Amino acid sequence: MRSAGADQDLTAAARIRDAAIRRFATQGFTASVRQIAADAEVSPGLVIHHFGTKDRLREVCDAHVSDQIRVAKTEVLTAADPGMFLSALAAVTDYAPLAGYVVRSLVAGGDLAARFIEHMVDDVRTYLQEAEAAGTVRPSRDPEARARYLALQGLGLLLMQINLSGGVEKATDLAAVLTAVTAWTTLPALEIFTEGLLTDNTLLSGYLAHVGGNTPARTPSSDQEEQR
Amino acid sequence: MRSAGADQDLTAAARIRDAAIRRFATQGFTASVRQIAADAEVSPGLVIHHFGTKDRLREVCDAHVSDQIRVAKTEVLTAADPGMFLSALAAVTDYAPLAGYVVRSLVAGGDLAARFIEHMVDDVRTYLQEAEAAGTVRPSRDPEARARYLALQGLGLLLMQINLSGGVEKATDLAAVLTAVTAWTTLPALEIFTEGLLTDNTLLSGYLAHVGGNTPARTPSSDQEEQR
DNA sequence: CAACACACTAAACGCGTGTTTAGTGCCGCG
DNA sequence: CGCGGCACTAAACACGCGTTTAGTGTGTTG
């Protein structure tokens, strides 16, 4: 397998990049160049020599994490549940820094975060489409909005819980938090998803009547394509 | 009304505190003492003279925001929807910095954030209880978990959307983002809340069977107290 | 009136930051 | 062998940070 306490057999630039990803994941993007250099057993100057700037180092890290995620994703067989994916990612201790890095990116709100979320929404949408075709999921009046809603909601819940339990801190804890939150979350989620929350549809029909002729809202949707 | 371009008639310490809240809300807690001092038209030394330390200044801000929120809350008539409350808070331009400050706290994850969330969960729980008694909301097998799930989910969705649309940045934008997210969110939310997401209960009943004799999970709950 | 207390400022201190500069040793190529 | 290029380091630079220090004016109090 790749990297198992591997330190020496990597080029210095790669060691710096990996150390940076680890530091960024555990301490956030305020981690200093000197700390990263120390982790990579290298002088601070070399970091700049190879990457030019701390910001450019971060860009390289973003790109690398993005690649790693794409690889891991195909390995994990495209899990569509937003939580499940991060959880599976964090489970393999090798990939734990990746999950931490993504979490940091999400709260920091950079380019990587936007891309990650968009992919997540895409995954959820296709998953819902397939499940709907299979007859296990109800059709929606606005499938795009529903996919986005479910993805953002799940990721948001996760993030919320993560940096409430004392920040991202140690990477190993991340997996624990992820499984814990899915543990107490599944019951209410399943309840609402199968039985709903409200007893009647006065609110929904009221809302539908209210927006009747108007544009529903954002997100390119297809109004109602099937009535069934 | 309180404060309307009021600058001079406040004590210097109060001006510093207000400036700090504004800066923290728009730039996060890395805003410098010198910036805050400049905003309050005061020397950096005076900030420390009055508050001793930047951290203690932040504690004072936390406390003040906490108070302001409690006041605003009773004014707004205890809105239980997590989003609605923040939205109403941000709508009054006077309170906009408060909402920004809370958002910053939530992503930074301090004490204030934990307290705010706990209050939010409480509000949602009592709201659900009342609605359940009124017959508009279905009973849950674990009301505590459901309240926490709904609160964290709503807040998380909100946060996610806020710092994806370019950070908290300008306070006036915050209200816009809040109304925008509620706009495209209400349809999928109402759909799921009234009709559910799944077509049958195999997943739910399967899960219930699976955890059958075991402890459900976290959060002190009362197992199933009513079967109905 | 003298004396103390207090709000306040200007300037500096010490530190950590990202980055630059000058220099050293090694490695491959002509 | 000689020499250019490259990875790399040690030291320093410039800067912004939170905080400290010394000092000034002002209002209150004995």
Side-chain angles (χ1 to χ4, degrees):
Chain A
M1 285 295 165
R2 156 195 161 276
S3 99
D7 257 15
Q8 215 57 287
D9 50 274
L10 283 171
T11 155
R15 263 186 299 133
I16 292 172
R17 162 173 50 68
D18 289 354
I21 291 176
R22 242 175 289 124
R23 276 282 171 190
F24 285 155
T26 56
Q27 296 191 186
F29 296 107
T30 62
S32 72
V33 170
R34 283 171 169 83
Q35 282 175 327
I36 295 169
D39 288 353
E41 289 169 336
V42 142
S43 75
L46 190 64
V47 176
I48 264 63
H49 170 76
H50 277 307
F51 298 93
T53 262
K54 188 188 178 184
D55 282 343
R56 288 235 291 278
L57 169 60
R58 163 141 191 226
E59 288 171 16
V60 171
C61 289
D62 274 19
H64 187 69
V65 167
S66 208
D67 282 0
Q68 293 278 91
I69 284 179
R70 190 167 47 242
V71 171
K73 222 158 139 188
T74 62
E75 283 183 5
V76 182
L77 249 288
T78 309
D81 184 338
M84 283 305 186
F85 174 58
L86 267 186
S87 177
L89 213 61
V92 188
T93 53
D94 209 25
Y95 288 157
L98 286 187
Y101 192 97
V102 171
V103 170
R104 291 294 186 184
S105 278
L106 285 176
V107 319
D111 251 21
L112 176 65
R115 249 181 300 140
F116 182 80
I117 287 183
E118 234 38 59
H119 285 164
M120 208 57 117
V121 172
D122 284 352
D123 288 350
V124 171
R125 178 175 42 234
T126 65
Y127 169 74
L128 286 178
Q129 281 173 352
E130 293 171 3
E132 187 179 330
T136 63
V137 158
R138 298 179 187 275
S140 169
R141 290 158 191 81
D142 190 345
E144 171 66 25
R146 185 173 68 175
R148 173 164 251 100
Y149 170 77
L150 285 173
L152 287 184
Q153 171 210 297
L155 269 180
L157 171 59
L158 222 56
L159 276 193
M160 202 93 253
Q161 193 73 18
I162 284 175
N163 68 356
L164 271 192
S165 50
V168 182
E169 319 231 331
K170 194 68 210 94
T172 55
D173 300 338
L174 236 184
V177 172
L178 287 170
T179 61
V181 59
T182 55
W184 72 261
T185 277
T186 38
L187 177 59
L190 276 181
E191 255 188 13
I192 291 176
F193 286 164
T194 76
E195 302 173 341
L197 178 74
L198 306 170
T199 53
D200 57 17
N201 63 350
T202 57
L203 275 178
L204 175 57
S205 58
Y207 174 77
L208 288 176
H210 174 253
V211 298
N214 307 349
T215 68
R218 300 170 62 81
T219 66
S221 67
S222 50
D223 240 2
Q224 59 239 51
E225 46 192 7
E226 300 191 29
Q227 63 165 36
R228 200 218 176 256
Chain B
M1 286 293 167
R2 155 194 162 279
S3 98
D7 256 18
Q8 214 57 287
D9 49 275
L10 284 171
T11 154
R15 262 185 300 135
I16 292 172
R17 163 175 47 69
D18 289 354
I21 290 176
R22 240 175 292 126
R23 276 283 170 189
F24 286 155
T26 56
Q27 296 191 187
F29 297 107
T30 62
S32 72
V33 170
R34 285 172 168 82
Q35 283 174 327
I36 295 169
D39 287 354
E41 289 170 336
V42 143
S43 76
L46 189 63
V47 176
I48 264 65
H49 170 76
H50 276 308
F51 298 94
T53 262
K54 187 189 177 182
D55 281 343
R56 288 235 291 278
L57 169 61
R58 163 146 190 221
E59 288 170 16
V60 171
C61 289
D62 274 19
H64 188 70
V65 167
S66 209
D67 282 1
Q68 294 278 90
I69 285 179
R70 192 166 46 243
V71 171
K73 223 158 138 186
T74 62
E75 284 182 5
V76 182
L77 247 291
T78 310
D81 184 337
M84 283 305 186
F85 174 59
L86 267 186
S87 178
L89 212 61
V92 189
T93 53
D94 210 24
Y95 288 156
L98 286 186
Y101 191 97
V102 171
V103 170
R104 291 294 185 183
S105 277
L106 285 176
V107 318
D111 252 21
L112 176 66
R115 250 181 298 138
F116 182 80
I117 287 182
E118 236 38 59
H119 284 162
M120 209 58 116
V121 172
D122 284 352
D123 287 351
V124 171
R125 179 175 40 234
T126 65
Y127 169 74
L128 285 178
Q129 281 173 352
E130 293 171 2
E132 187 178 331
T136 63
V137 158
R138 297 180 186 276
S140 170
R141 291 158 189 81
D142 190 343
E144 171 66 24
R146 185 172 69 174
R148 172 164 252 98
Y149 171 78
L150 285 173
L152 287 184
Q153 171 212 295
L155 269 179
L157 170 60
L158 222 55
L159 275 193
M160 203 91 254
Q161 192 73 19
I162 283 176
N163 68 357
L164 271 191
S165 48
V168 182
E169 318 231 332
K170 195 65 209 94
T172 56
D173 299 338
L174 237 185
V177 172
L178 287 170
T179 61
V181 59
T182 56
W184 72 261
T185 277
T186 38
L187 176 60
L190 277 181
E191 255 188 13
I192 292 176
F193 285 165
T194 76
E195 302 173 342
L197 179 73
L198 307 171
T199 52
D200 59 17
N201 64 349
T202 56
L203 275 178
L204 175 58
S205 58
Y207 174 77
L208 288 177
H210 175 252
V211 298
N214 307 348
T215 67
R218 302 171 62 80
T219 66
S221 67
S222 50
D223 239 3
Q224 60 238 51
E225 46 191 8
E226 301 190 28
Q227 62 164 36
R228 198 218 181 260

